Amino acid sequence: MNIVLGVTGGIAAYKAVLLARLFVEAGHEVHVVPTADALRFVGLPTWEAISRHPVTSSVHDDVPEVRHVALGQRADLVVVAPATANTLARMAAGLADDLLGTTLLATTAPVLVAPAMHTEMWQHAATQHNVETLRGRGIAFVGPDSGRLTGDDSGPGRMSEPTQIFAAAQSLLAGRHPHASESQIIVDQPTSDLAGLTVLVSAGGTREPIDPVRYLGNRSSGRQGVAIAAAAAARGAQVVLLSANVDASVLGEVGERSTTRVVPVGTAAELEAAARTEAAGADVIIMAAAVADYRVAEVSEGKLRKEDTGGTPPTLQLVENPDILRGLVVSRAPGQTIVGFAAETVEGEDELLERGRRKLARKGVDLLAVNAVGWIEGFESAGNTLYILDRTGEVVRRINGTKRETADGLLDSVLAVRLARDIL
Ligand code: PMT
């Protein structure tokens, strides 16, 4: 398919390089049309090398080809990413004083826009009015997401991840969104963006025996980890799910796929042994299981009985379990992407992220999904909020939704990390 990728003048232009790469690797013909301002962020040689086509911003180049309308006329899809507030205003007004403007007026193809700007600009009445105008004309939007922005601020306005924009573009090309104007965020995921990858996921909570009938455990239902496994499988990955005491009703979400293998484990030691074995063949490891930090030093052979202690409550001696995640990071295979979780009981977002960053430093993972947990959140619930930290501790994404939605968002971030590593 012929895709025109319009790139406008925002810092997120660097992410559009990854998007162009995704389109090219999916077999599309990609014509990049940057604005003059976009070229201040990412230069012409990069766009030409990635798209493998000549690139210009001007309507005065390649005049014999009538390029100012030809690109738009030939396009099967036009994607504008990032789209600044200025670009949205120009599109709404129909301005055509550069190649992107003429291309957008000349095309009858679907148009997909990925806005990127600071929160105040996104929420400004003028911008929202322009968005409504464009949606009224059938233009589809993906994002913006909420997350860290260019300065110290964070909030709605961050451009969606390239993998999300790619997914939305594929959906439009497949004609899956004939009424794209009705929905601001397109949530369909492509079925194959994880094809060729093996994803190892742990889910549930470990149980450390005290005696044959009792254990030390936690409230993890396995829902979050199972959702990650199901989402990865739906997106084409081979999946190995290390299932720590997950109920069959929850496990059912992964279904009966030949591409998914479930390995049941009970204790942290069993989880560690299985993780070490399975890690060897994994491209991506995601540790969503709640692992007991301690186990009982001496497990009683028989049931502890009140009579045996003369009515005095027994004292349990605990010993530390190995840090499985840290061990996987230390012995990681080349090219492996490792994701940890952090479950924290805290009051505010700042403290949550601060603790997350400390955990990130200790674990050395590529991404850390930080979630607040408590009596009514995180564990067992149907929904979750994940803050995804990259290696530098930056919040690259904040995802709030069902556990399946947060799973897909997390997988988008995993793909973004792998793409960035391959390209940069
Ligand atoms: O299962 P649900 O009911 O859906 O709930 C989901 C969840 C809240 C359990 C999940 O979202 C989550 O936060 N999982 C991680 C729970 C946890 O153990 O967090 P932690 O902060 O204690 O551990 C940090 C990381 O180290 C985790 O990736 C954990 O898997 C890993 N770890 C911890 C201890 C240990 N000995 N070895 C480990 O590998």
Side-chain angles (χ1 to χ4, degrees), residues 202-205 218-225 268 287-293 321-326 339-344 359 363 368-369 371-373 377-381 384 386 403:
S202 69
N218 62 69
R219 286 180 34 235
S220 172
S221 62
R223 282 182 171 201
Q224 184 65 76
M287 282 288 289
V291 186
D293 287 322
N321 275 330
D323 186 331
I324 304 169
L325 182 57
R326 180 71 199 142
V339 182
F341 266 73
E344 306 291 344
K359 198 161 275 181
K363 304 275 185 181
L368 189 76
N371 51 188
V373 293
E377 60 183 342
F379 286 93
E380 295 172 325
S381 56
N384 205 0
L386 295 184
K403 284 188 170 161

mmCIF file of all heavy atoms in Angstrom, residues 202-205 218-225 268 287-293 321-326 339-344 359 363 368-369 371-373 377-381 384 386 403, ligand 1:
data_model
loop_
_atom_site.group_PDB
_atom_site.id
_atom_site.type_symbol
_atom_site.label_atom_id
_atom_site.label_comp_id
_atom_site.label_asym_id
_atom_site.label_seq_id
_atom_site.Cartn_x
_atom_site.Cartn_y
_atom_site.Cartn_z
ATOM 1 N N SER A 202 5.207 -14.289 33.577
ATOM 2 C CA SER A 202 4.814 -14.959 34.819
ATOM 3 C C SER A 202 3.568 -14.283 35.358
ATOM 4 O O SER A 202 3.385 -13.077 35.216
ATOM 5 C CB SER A 202 5.947 -14.922 35.850
ATOM 6 O OG SER A 202 6.147 -13.607 36.321
ATOM 7 N N ALA A 203 2.698 -15.088 35.957
ATOM 8 C CA ALA A 203 1.425 -14.555 36.468
ATOM 9 C C ALA A 203 1.070 -15.251 37.765
ATOM 10 O O ALA A 203 1.465 -16.391 38.011
ATOM 11 C CB ALA A 203 0.316 -14.797 35.442
ATOM 12 N N GLY A 204 0.306 -14.537 38.588
ATOM 13 C CA GLY A 204 -0.187 -15.141 39.826
ATOM 14 C C GLY A 204 0.731 -14.857 41.010
ATOM 15 O O GLY A 204 1.618 -14.006 40.945
ATOM 16 N N GLY A 205 0.495 -15.595 42.088
ATOM 17 C CA GLY A 205 1.275 -15.375 43.306
ATOM 18 C C GLY A 205 1.873 -16.678 43.791
ATOM 19 O O GLY A 205 1.214 -17.730 43.747
ATOM 20 N N ASN A 218 -0.014 -14.534 48.675
ATOM 21 C CA ASN A 218 -0.465 -13.156 48.469
ATOM 22 C C ASN A 218 -1.738 -13.171 47.626
ATOM 23 O O ASN A 218 -2.160 -14.221 47.151
ATOM 24 C CB ASN A 218 0.641 -12.319 47.827
ATOM 25 C CG ASN A 218 1.022 -12.847 46.460
ATOM 26 O OD1 ASN A 218 0.249 -12.769 45.519
ATOM 27 N ND2 ASN A 218 2.234 -13.407 46.345
ATOM 28 N N ARG A 219 -2.313 -11.991 47.413
ATOM 29 C CA ARG A 219 -3.650 -11.926 46.797
ATOM 30 C C ARG A 219 -3.627 -11.845 45.277
ATOM 31 O O ARG A 219 -4.655 -11.564 44.658
ATOM 32 C CB ARG A 219 -4.408 -10.740 47.373
ATOM 33 C CG ARG A 219 -4.895 -10.979 48.794
ATOM 34 C CD ARG A 219 -5.656 -9.760 49.330
ATOM 35 N NE ARG A 219 -6.404 -9.065 48.312
ATOM 36 C CZ ARG A 219 -6.284 -7.768 48.047
ATOM 37 N NH1 ARG A 219 -5.444 -7.025 48.727
ATOM 38 N NH2 ARG A 219 -7.010 -7.218 47.113
ATOM 39 N N SER A 220 -2.487 -12.061 44.648
ATOM 40 C CA SER A 220 -2.469 -11.969 43.184
ATOM 41 C C SER A 220 -3.378 -13.030 42.568
ATOM 42 O O SER A 220 -3.247 -14.219 42.848
ATOM 43 C CB SER A 220 -1.048 -12.138 42.651
ATOM 44 O OG SER A 220 -1.092 -12.225 41.237
ATOM 45 N N SER A 221 -4.267 -12.570 41.693
ATOM 46 C CA SER A 221 -5.196 -13.492 41.025
ATOM 47 C C SER A 221 -4.592 -14.046 39.737
ATOM 48 O O SER A 221 -5.098 -15.015 39.170
ATOM 49 C CB SER A 221 -6.477 -12.737 40.659
ATOM 50 O OG SER A 221 -6.166 -11.685 39.745
ATOM 51 N N GLY A 222 -3.548 -13.359 39.244
ATOM 52 C CA GLY A 222 -2.961 -13.745 37.962
ATOM 53 C C GLY A 222 -3.594 -13.041 36.781
ATOM 54 O O GLY A 222 -3.165 -13.193 35.640
ATOM 55 N N ARG A 223 -4.597 -12.199 37.049
ATOM 56 C CA ARG A 223 -5.321 -11.558 35.939
ATOM 57 C C ARG A 223 -4.406 -10.710 35.050
ATOM 58 O O ARG A 223 -4.520 -10.747 33.830
ATOM 59 C CB ARG A 223 -6.412 -10.637 36.481
ATOM 60 C CG ARG A 223 -7.625 -11.384 36.939
ATOM 61 C CD ARG A 223 -8.648 -10.368 37.400
ATOM 62 N NE ARG A 223 -9.928 -11.013 37.658
ATOM 63 C CZ ARG A 223 -11.083 -10.385 37.679
ATOM 64 N NH1 ARG A 223 -11.141 -9.098 37.461
ATOM 65 N NH2 ARG A 223 -12.185 -11.031 37.933
ATOM 66 N N GLN A 224 -3.530 -9.918 35.702
ATOM 67 C CA GLN A 224 -2.689 -9.027 34.897
ATOM 68 C C GLN A 224 -1.714 -9.827 34.016
ATOM 69 O O GLN A 224 -1.581 -9.570 32.832
ATOM 70 C CB GLN A 224 -1.908 -8.060 35.812
ATOM 71 C CG GLN A 224 -1.080 -7.035 35.055
ATOM 72 C CD GLN A 224 -1.921 -6.064 34.250
ATOM 73 O OE1 GLN A 224 -2.525 -5.149 34.776
ATOM 74 N NE2 GLN A 224 -1.971 -6.272 32.929
ATOM 75 N N GLY A 225 -1.070 -10.818 34.634
ATOM 76 C CA GLY A 225 -0.112 -11.610 33.855
ATOM 77 C C GLY A 225 -0.791 -12.418 32.761
ATOM 78 O O GLY A 225 -0.287 -12.514 31.637
ATOM 79 N N ALA A 268 8.216 -19.919 44.995
ATOM 80 C CA ALA A 268 9.188 -19.030 44.326
ATOM 81 C C ALA A 268 10.335 -19.863 43.744
ATOM 82 O O ALA A 268 10.830 -19.572 42.649
ATOM 83 C CB ALA A 268 9.722 -18.006 45.330
ATOM 84 N N MET A 287 7.818 -10.184 34.026
ATOM 85 C CA MET A 287 7.578 -10.784 35.342
ATOM 86 C C MET A 287 6.441 -10.043 36.048
ATOM 87 O O MET A 287 6.663 -9.056 36.745
ATOM 88 C CB MET A 287 8.857 -10.706 36.193
ATOM 89 C CG MET A 287 9.894 -11.750 35.851
ATOM 90 S SD MET A 287 9.407 -13.422 36.382
ATOM 91 C CE MET A 287 9.572 -13.240 38.156
ATOM 92 N N ALA A 288 5.222 -10.547 35.831
ATOM 93 C CA ALA A 288 4.058 -9.923 36.465
ATOM 94 C C ALA A 288 3.632 -10.668 37.727
ATOM 95 O O ALA A 288 2.734 -10.232 38.440
ATOM 96 C CB ALA A 288 2.891 -9.874 35.480
ATOM 97 N N ALA A 289 4.267 -11.804 37.995
ATOM 98 C CA ALA A 289 3.875 -12.579 39.181
ATOM 99 C C ALA A 289 4.303 -11.865 40.457
ATOM 100 O O ALA A 289 5.310 -11.156 40.489
ATOM 101 C CB ALA A 289 4.525 -13.965 39.129
ATOM 102 N N ALA A 290 3.497 -12.056 41.490
ATOM 103 C CA ALA A 290 3.846 -11.547 42.812
ATOM 104 C C ALA A 290 4.612 -12.664 43.531
ATOM 105 O O ALA A 290 4.038 -13.713 43.844
ATOM 106 C CB ALA A 290 2.589 -11.166 43.577
ATOM 107 N N VAL A 291 5.898 -12.423 43.724
ATOM 108 C CA VAL A 291 6.783 -13.476 44.244
ATOM 109 C C VAL A 291 7.042 -13.228 45.725
ATOM 110 O O VAL A 291 7.362 -12.098 46.124
ATOM 111 C CB VAL A 291 8.137 -13.467 43.486
ATOM 112 C CG1 VAL A 291 9.001 -14.646 43.929
ATOM 113 C CG2 VAL A 291 7.914 -13.490 41.984
ATOM 114 N N ALA A 292 6.943 -14.278 46.513
ATOM 115 C CA ALA A 292 7.215 -14.131 47.948
ATOM 116 C C ALA A 292 8.702 -13.813 48.153
ATOM 117 O O ALA A 292 9.564 -14.505 47.607
ATOM 118 C CB ALA A 292 6.865 -15.427 48.666
ATOM 119 N N ASP A 293 8.974 -12.772 48.907
ATOM 120 C CA ASP A 293 10.375 -12.423 49.172
ATOM 121 C C ASP A 293 10.998 -13.377 50.187
ATOM 122 O O ASP A 293 12.210 -13.502 50.265
ATOM 123 C CB ASP A 293 10.460 -10.983 49.701
ATOM 124 C CG ASP A 293 10.213 -9.985 48.571
ATOM 125 O OD1 ASP A 293 10.684 -10.242 47.443
ATOM 126 O OD2 ASP A 293 9.525 -8.968 48.810
ATOM 127 N N ASN A 321 14.063 -15.473 49.746
ATOM 128 C CA ASN A 321 14.027 -16.120 48.444
ATOM 129 C C ASN A 321 14.960 -15.385 47.480
ATOM 130 O O ASN A 321 15.220 -14.195 47.658
ATOM 131 C CB ASN A 321 12.596 -16.077 47.864
ATOM 132 C CG ASN A 321 11.744 -17.215 48.374
ATOM 133 O OD1 ASN A 321 12.259 -18.293 48.667
ATOM 134 N ND2 ASN A 321 10.451 -16.985 48.485
ATOM 135 N N PRO A 322 15.417 -16.064 46.440
ATOM 136 C CA PRO A 322 16.236 -15.361 45.457
ATOM 137 C C PRO A 322 15.395 -14.331 44.708
ATOM 138 O O PRO A 322 14.183 -14.508 44.562
ATOM 139 C CB PRO A 322 16.695 -16.474 44.504
ATOM 140 C CG PRO A 322 15.766 -17.597 44.720
ATOM 141 C CD PRO A 322 15.237 -17.489 46.119
ATOM 142 N N ASP A 323 16.034 -13.263 44.251
ATOM 143 C CA ASP A 323 15.363 -12.287 43.396
ATOM 144 C C ASP A 323 15.418 -12.847 41.969
ATOM 145 O O ASP A 323 16.453 -12.779 41.298
ATOM 146 C CB ASP A 323 16.073 -10.927 43.495
ATOM 147 C CG ASP A 323 15.332 -9.840 42.731
ATOM 148 O OD1 ASP A 323 14.645 -10.169 41.733
ATOM 149 O OD2 ASP A 323 15.433 -8.666 43.127
ATOM 150 N N ILE A 324 14.322 -13.414 41.539
ATOM 151 C CA ILE A 324 14.289 -14.117 40.249
ATOM 152 C C ILE A 324 14.550 -13.145 39.099
ATOM 153 O O ILE A 324 15.350 -13.412 38.196
ATOM 154 C CB ILE A 324 12.918 -14.812 40.046
ATOM 155 C CG1 ILE A 324 12.635 -15.758 41.208
ATOM 156 C CG2 ILE A 324 12.878 -15.547 38.713
ATOM 157 C CD1 ILE A 324 11.210 -16.294 41.245
ATOM 158 N N LEU A 325 13.872 -12.006 39.169
ATOM 159 C CA LEU A 325 13.982 -11.014 38.089
ATOM 160 C C LEU A 325 15.425 -10.533 37.948
ATOM 161 O O LEU A 325 15.978 -10.471 36.847
ATOM 162 C CB LEU A 325 13.041 -9.838 38.410
ATOM 163 C CG LEU A 325 12.967 -8.705 37.396
ATOM 164 C CD1 LEU A 325 12.558 -9.216 36.024
ATOM 165 C CD2 LEU A 325 11.978 -7.635 37.863
ATOM 166 N N ARG A 326 16.032 -10.213 39.068
ATOM 167 C CA ARG A 326 17.421 -9.730 39.036
ATOM 168 C C ARG A 326 18.327 -10.811 38.424
ATOM 169 O O ARG A 326 19.216 -10.512 37.617
ATOM 170 C CB ARG A 326 17.860 -9.372 40.454
ATOM 171 C CG ARG A 326 19.259 -8.861 40.575
ATOM 172 C CD ARG A 326 19.429 -7.459 39.991
ATOM 173 N NE ARG A 326 20.831 -7.185 39.729
ATOM 174 C CZ ARG A 326 21.292 -6.522 38.696
ATOM 175 N NH1 ARG A 326 20.476 -6.011 37.786
ATOM 176 N NH2 ARG A 326 22.576 -6.325 38.535
ATOM 177 N N VAL A 339 11.181 -7.100 31.331
ATOM 178 C CA VAL A 339 10.252 -6.158 31.945
ATOM 179 C C VAL A 339 9.898 -6.651 33.350
ATOM 180 O O VAL A 339 9.538 -7.808 33.533
ATOM 181 C CB VAL A 339 8.945 -6.065 31.120
ATOM 182 C CG1 VAL A 339 7.994 -5.054 31.736
ATOM 183 C CG2 VAL A 339 9.254 -5.715 29.669
ATOM 184 N N GLY A 340 10.005 -5.757 34.321
ATOM 185 C CA GLY A 340 9.592 -6.093 35.681
ATOM 186 C C GLY A 340 8.347 -5.315 36.058
ATOM 187 O O GLY A 340 7.937 -4.381 35.363
ATOM 188 N N PHE A 341 7.751 -5.715 37.142
ATOM 189 C CA PHE A 341 6.633 -4.976 37.719
ATOM 190 C C PHE A 341 7.073 -4.434 39.075
ATOM 191 O O PHE A 341 7.988 -4.973 39.704
ATOM 192 C CB PHE A 341 5.419 -5.895 37.909
ATOM 193 C CG PHE A 341 4.463 -5.869 36.754
ATOM 194 C CD1 PHE A 341 4.786 -6.481 35.558
ATOM 195 C CD2 PHE A 341 3.236 -5.216 36.858
ATOM 196 C CE1 PHE A 341 3.907 -6.463 34.483
ATOM 197 C CE2 PHE A 341 2.342 -5.190 35.791
ATOM 198 C CZ PHE A 341 2.679 -5.808 34.604
ATOM 199 N N ALA A 342 6.411 -3.385 39.517
ATOM 200 C CA ALA A 342 6.606 -2.914 40.886
ATOM 201 C C ALA A 342 5.233 -2.686 41.477
ATOM 202 O O ALA A 342 4.429 -1.929 40.916
ATOM 203 C CB ALA A 342 7.412 -1.624 40.913
ATOM 204 N N ALA A 343 4.942 -3.361 42.562
ATOM 205 C CA ALA A 343 3.657 -3.200 43.244
ATOM 206 C C ALA A 343 3.918 -2.439 44.534
ATOM 207 O O ALA A 343 4.651 -2.911 45.400
ATOM 208 C CB ALA A 343 3.065 -4.582 43.546
ATOM 209 N N GLU A 344 3.336 -1.253 44.664
ATOM 210 C CA GLU A 344 3.633 -0.398 45.812
ATOM 211 C C GLU A 344 2.353 0.089 46.481
ATOM 212 O O GLU A 344 1.398 0.472 45.802
ATOM 213 C CB GLU A 344 4.443 0.832 45.357
ATOM 214 C CG GLU A 344 5.717 0.509 44.574
ATOM 215 C CD GLU A 344 6.804 -0.133 45.435
ATOM 216 O OE1 GLU A 344 6.712 -0.051 46.674
ATOM 217 O OE2 GLU A 344 7.736 -0.722 44.860
ATOM 218 N N LYS A 359 13.320 0.882 42.587
ATOM 219 C CA LYS A 359 13.252 -0.547 42.223
ATOM 220 C C LYS A 359 13.904 -0.780 40.862
ATOM 221 O O LYS A 359 14.618 -1.760 40.655
ATOM 222 C CB LYS A 359 11.798 -1.010 42.217
ATOM 223 C CG LYS A 359 11.636 -2.490 42.278
ATOM 224 C CD LYS A 359 10.239 -2.914 42.732
ATOM 225 C CE LYS A 359 10.108 -2.945 44.244
ATOM 226 N NZ LYS A 359 8.800 -3.369 44.722
ATOM 227 N N LYS A 363 16.826 -3.473 39.953
ATOM 228 C CA LYS A 363 16.550 -4.637 39.099
ATOM 229 C C LYS A 363 17.281 -4.592 37.763
ATOM 230 O O LYS A 363 17.552 -5.633 37.172
ATOM 231 C CB LYS A 363 15.037 -4.750 38.840
ATOM 232 C CG LYS A 363 14.187 -4.811 40.106
ATOM 233 C CD LYS A 363 14.057 -6.211 40.657
ATOM 234 C CE LYS A 363 13.098 -6.258 41.839
ATOM 235 N NZ LYS A 363 12.961 -7.572 42.427
ATOM 236 N N LEU A 368 9.966 -0.960 33.534
ATOM 237 C CA LEU A 368 9.344 -1.351 34.798
ATOM 238 C C LEU A 368 7.902 -0.835 34.790
ATOM 239 O O LEU A 368 7.671 0.358 34.574
ATOM 240 C CB LEU A 368 10.107 -0.764 35.987
ATOM 241 C CG LEU A 368 9.661 -1.292 37.342
ATOM 242 C CD1 LEU A 368 10.194 -2.710 37.575
ATOM 243 C CD2 LEU A 368 10.153 -0.391 38.486
ATOM 244 N N ALA A 369 6.952 -1.745 34.985
ATOM 245 C CA ALA A 369 5.538 -1.356 35.045
ATOM 246 C C ALA A 369 5.178 -1.159 36.511
ATOM 247 O O ALA A 369 5.130 -2.124 37.272
ATOM 248 C CB ALA A 369 4.676 -2.444 34.417
ATOM 249 N N ASN A 371 2.686 -0.214 39.482
ATOM 250 C CA ASN A 371 1.250 -0.057 39.810
ATOM 251 C C ASN A 371 1.048 0.064 41.315
ATOM 252 O O ASN A 371 1.770 -0.515 42.120
ATOM 253 C CB ASN A 371 0.356 -1.145 39.204
ATOM 254 C CG ASN A 371 0.793 -2.580 39.442
ATOM 255 O OD1 ASN A 371 0.230 -3.505 38.875
ATOM 256 N ND2 ASN A 371 1.790 -2.785 40.267
ATOM 257 N N ALA A 372 0.045 0.887 41.663
ATOM 258 C CA ALA A 372 -0.316 1.030 43.069
ATOM 259 C C ALA A 372 -1.191 -0.160 43.444
ATOM 260 O O ALA A 372 -2.052 -0.577 42.673
ATOM 261 C CB ALA A 372 -1.076 2.327 43.284
ATOM 262 N N VAL A 373 -0.917 -0.729 44.602
ATOM 263 C CA VAL A 373 -1.730 -1.860 45.054
ATOM 264 C C VAL A 373 -2.248 -1.587 46.463
ATOM 265 O O VAL A 373 -1.708 -0.754 47.189
ATOM 266 C CB VAL A 373 -0.922 -3.189 45.053
ATOM 267 C CG1 VAL A 373 -0.565 -3.609 43.654
ATOM 268 C CG2 VAL A 373 0.327 -3.085 45.921
ATOM 269 N N GLU A 377 -7.163 -2.077 45.053
ATOM 270 C CA GLU A 377 -6.592 -1.801 43.720
ATOM 271 C C GLU A 377 -5.404 -2.714 43.422
ATOM 272 O O GLU A 377 -4.761 -3.238 44.320
ATOM 273 C CB GLU A 377 -6.175 -0.325 43.575
ATOM 274 C CG GLU A 377 -5.147 0.146 44.555
ATOM 275 C CD GLU A 377 -4.814 1.626 44.408
ATOM 276 O OE1 GLU A 377 -5.103 2.229 43.352
ATOM 277 O OE2 GLU A 377 -4.246 2.187 45.365
ATOM 278 N N GLY A 378 -5.150 -2.867 42.148
ATOM 279 C CA GLY A 378 -4.016 -3.685 41.695
ATOM 280 C C GLY A 378 -4.334 -5.159 41.728
ATOM 281 O O GLY A 378 -4.658 -5.771 40.713
ATOM 282 N N PHE A 379 -4.283 -5.746 42.912
ATOM 283 C CA PHE A 379 -4.577 -7.175 43.073
ATOM 284 C C PHE A 379 -6.051 -7.477 42.819
ATOM 285 O O PHE A 379 -6.923 -6.726 43.266
ATOM 286 C CB PHE A 379 -4.238 -7.624 44.497
ATOM 287 C CG PHE A 379 -2.760 -7.755 44.751
ATOM 288 C CD1 PHE A 379 -2.039 -6.700 45.279
ATOM 289 C CD2 PHE A 379 -2.091 -8.926 44.448
ATOM 290 C CE1 PHE A 379 -0.684 -6.816 45.515
ATOM 291 C CE2 PHE A 379 -0.739 -9.052 44.681
ATOM 292 C CZ PHE A 379 -0.020 -7.994 45.216
ATOM 293 N N GLU A 380 -6.304 -8.543 42.132
ATOM 294 C CA GLU A 380 -7.653 -9.109 41.932
ATOM 295 C C GLU A 380 -8.608 -8.269 41.086
ATOM 296 O O GLU A 380 -9.560 -8.787 40.517
ATOM 297 C CB GLU A 380 -8.336 -9.408 43.287
ATOM 298 C CG GLU A 380 -7.604 -10.489 44.074
ATOM 299 C CD GLU A 380 -8.137 -10.651 45.480
ATOM 300 O OE1 GLU A 380 -8.529 -9.640 46.084
ATOM 301 O OE2 GLU A 380 -8.136 -11.791 45.978
ATOM 302 N N SER A 381 -8.367 -6.977 40.980
ATOM 303 C CA SER A 381 -9.322 -6.093 40.298
ATOM 304 C C SER A 381 -9.345 -6.347 38.794
ATOM 305 O O SER A 381 -8.418 -6.925 38.229
ATOM 306 C CB SER A 381 -8.928 -4.634 40.552
ATOM 307 O OG SER A 381 -7.598 -4.452 40.117
ATOM 308 N N ASN A 384 -6.611 -1.641 35.960
ATOM 309 C CA ASN A 384 -5.322 -1.292 36.558
ATOM 310 C C ASN A 384 -4.825 0.010 35.950
ATOM 311 O O ASN A 384 -5.288 0.420 34.875
ATOM 312 C CB ASN A 384 -4.299 -2.413 36.288
ATOM 313 C CG ASN A 384 -3.183 -2.457 37.314
ATOM 314 O OD1 ASN A 384 -3.157 -1.642 38.243
ATOM 315 N ND2 ASN A 384 -2.269 -3.389 37.163
ATOM 316 N N LEU A 386 -1.055 1.455 34.954
ATOM 317 C CA LEU A 386 0.385 1.165 34.898
ATOM 318 C C LEU A 386 1.151 2.404 34.473
ATOM 319 O O LEU A 386 0.782 3.067 33.501
ATOM 320 C CB LEU A 386 0.679 0.054 33.876
ATOM 321 C CG LEU A 386 0.138 -1.346 34.134
ATOM 322 C CD1 LEU A 386 0.632 -2.307 33.048
ATOM 323 C CD2 LEU A 386 0.557 -1.860 35.504
ATOM 324 N N LYS A 403 -7.345 -4.833 32.482
ATOM 325 C CA LYS A 403 -6.011 -5.451 32.507
ATOM 326 C C LYS A 403 -5.577 -5.846 31.099
ATOM 327 O O LYS A 403 -4.388 -5.840 30.785
ATOM 328 C CB LYS A 403 -5.980 -6.607 33.508
ATOM 329 C CG LYS A 403 -5.909 -6.030 34.940
ATOM 330 C CD LYS A 403 -5.686 -7.009 36.036
ATOM 331 C CE LYS A 403 -5.398 -6.233 37.337
ATOM 332 N NZ LYS A 403 -5.584 -6.998 38.560
HETATM 333 O O1 PMT B 1 -2.557 -10.860 39.588
HETATM 334 P P1 PMT B 1 -3.489 -9.671 39.727
HETATM 335 O O2 PMT B 1 -4.525 -9.893 40.784
HETATM 336 O O3 PMT B 1 -4.060 -9.254 38.410
HETATM 337 O O4 PMT B 1 -2.613 -8.440 40.263
HETATM 338 C C1 PMT B 1 -1.612 -7.921 39.438
HETATM 339 C C2 PMT B 1 -0.371 -7.550 40.254
HETATM 340 C C3 PMT B 1 -0.698 -6.391 41.175
HETATM 341 C C4 PMT B 1 0.145 -8.737 41.053
HETATM 342 C C5 PMT B 1 0.712 -7.144 39.186
HETATM 343 O O5 PMT B 1 0.260 -6.051 38.452
HETATM 344 C C6 PMT B 1 2.043 -6.810 39.846
HETATM 345 O O6 PMT B 1 2.284 -5.722 40.336
HETATM 346 N N1 PMT B 1 2.960 -7.802 39.873
HETATM 347 C C7 PMT B 1 4.244 -7.733 40.582
HETATM 348 C C8 PMT B 1 4.034 -8.018 42.044
HETATM 349 C C9 PMT B 1 5.334 -7.960 42.833
HETATM 350 O O7 PMT B 1 5.788 -8.949 43.299
HETATM 351 O O8 PMT B 1 5.901 -6.783 42.863
HETATM 352 P P2 PMT B 1 7.275 -6.454 43.680
HETATM 353 O O9 PMT B 1 7.354 -4.972 43.633
HETATM 354 O O10 PMT B 1 7.258 -7.097 45.001
HETATM 355 O O11 PMT B 1 8.401 -7.129 42.810
HETATM 356 C C10 PMT B 1 9.118 -6.432 41.804
HETATM 357 C C11 PMT B 1 9.443 -7.337 40.643
HETATM 358 O O12 PMT B 1 10.385 -8.331 41.037
HETATM 359 C C12 PMT B 1 8.268 -8.083 40.055
HETATM 360 O O13 PMT B 1 8.437 -8.133 38.645
HETATM 361 C C13 PMT B 1 8.374 -9.468 40.671
HETATM 362 O O14 PMT B 1 7.830 -10.439 39.800
HETATM 363 C C14 PMT B 1 9.880 -9.632 40.818
HETATM 364 N N2 PMT B 1 10.335 -10.439 41.951
HETATM 365 C C15 PMT B 1 10.009 -10.111 43.223
HETATM 366 C C16 PMT B 1 10.510 -10.842 44.284
HETATM 367 C C17 PMT B 1 11.359 -11.943 44.009
HETATM 368 N N3 PMT B 1 11.854 -12.679 44.990
HETATM 369 N N4 PMT B 1 11.678 -12.250 42.751
HETATM 370 C C18 PMT B 1 11.176 -11.527 41.717
HETATM 371 O O15 PMT B 1 11.475 -11.816 40.556
#
